[in-house]
Amino acid sequence: MIDADTLRLADGDTTPPLAELVERGDITWGQAHQCAEEFLAHREDAIDRAQHSLQLIAKNWTAIQDLGARPGTQLTRDILGGLAPEVRFLAQRLITLD
């Protein structure tokens, strides 16, 4: 549980540590242990998903480079125009990073 509290703090979590919640009587040690296990499992899943997403971006980086090499062309407008707004925004941000 202390490892989970340490990681939560290092990750920027501002909620009270699990140990503090137990000491205040808000939760039991068993609940704190369960919360810690759930946090660690969720964190590991989040890390795996983020790494996979970044690997996909890296694998397909040439698409971003191609769009960056053709700014303002009809092809670029057609590609970006067919994307959901949040994906289009991300693509435009990535193009400017290239």
Side-chain angles (χ1 to χ4, degrees), residues 59-74:
K59 181 179 176 183
N60 295 291
W61 190 252
T62 56
I64 298 296
Q65 291 172 319
D66 290 346
L67 291 173
R70 296 179 179 87
T73 64
Q74 187 60 47

Side-chain angles (χ1 to χ4, degrees), residues 21-65:
L21 294 176
V22 171
E23 290 171 1
R24 291 190 331 208
D26 294 341
I27 61 175
T28 66
W29 283 109
Q31 290 170 322
H33 181 70
Q34 181 178 351
C35 288
E37 287 180 357
E38 290 171 1
F39 165 76
L40 293 171
H42 174 73
R43 186 178 188 276
E44 188 63 34
D45 288 344
I47 289 169
D48 289 344
R49 282 191 312 274
Q51 288 175 338
H52 178 72
S53 296
L54 291 169
Q55 288 169 349
L56 285 173
I57 291 170
K59 181 179 176 183
N60 295 291
W61 190 252
T62 56
I64 298 296
Q65 291 172 319

Side-chain angles (χ1 to χ4, degrees), residues 77-88:
R77 287 192 297 275
D78 288 346
I79 291 169
L80 295 177
L83 299 173
E86 63 275 7
V87 178
R88 183 173 45 253

